[in-house]
């Protein structure tokens, strides 16, 4: 199983991937996930990344355009 967000891949990043999360404003956490928020590409921590994924998953699906119209 791949472990992309730890070890040698992080050593190449400034401060070993640590910084301030753009969403929760925590400092000193790994900010390695890139997301587009408000039209900007920002780096966020894994907790905010998971929260955004759960939020997107729980929103109901929009009705498709191919749904039959009622007469």
């Amino acid at each position: 199983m791949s472990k992309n967000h730890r070890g040698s891949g992080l050593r190449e990043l400034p401060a070993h991937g640590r910084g301030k999360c753009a969403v929760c404003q925590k400092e000193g956490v790994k900010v390695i996930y890139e997301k587009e928020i408000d039209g900007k590409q920002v780096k966020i921590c894994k907790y905010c990344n998971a929260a955004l994924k759960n939020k997107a998953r729980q929103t109901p699906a929009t009705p498709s355009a191919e749904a039959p119209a009622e007469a």
Side-chain angles (χ1 to χ4, degrees):
M1 186 173 233
S2 170
K3 294 177 173 65
N4 294 329
H5 300 297
R6 54 175 131 160
S8 63
L10 292 178
R11 285 188 212 120
E12 301 165 359
L13 298 175
H16 300 285
R18 294 188 179 268
K20 186 174 183 180
C21 178
V23 177
C24 65
Q25 304 301 317
K26 287 184 185 176
E27 292 187 19
V29 295
K30 291 186 201 174
V31 286
I32 48 183
Y33 300 94
E34 291 187 1
K35 288 285 184 178
E36 186 173 328
I37 299 175
D38 297 330
K40 294 181 183 177
Q41 195 76 12
V42 295
K43 289 192 167 207
I44 60 175
C45 64
K46 76 176 190 176
Y47 302 108
C48 294
N49 185 42
L52 290 173
K53 281 185 178 181
N54 286 334
K55 187 177 179 181
R57 188 173 43 177
Q58 293 196 6
T59 57
T62 58
S64 64
E66 297 179 18
E70 294 183 26

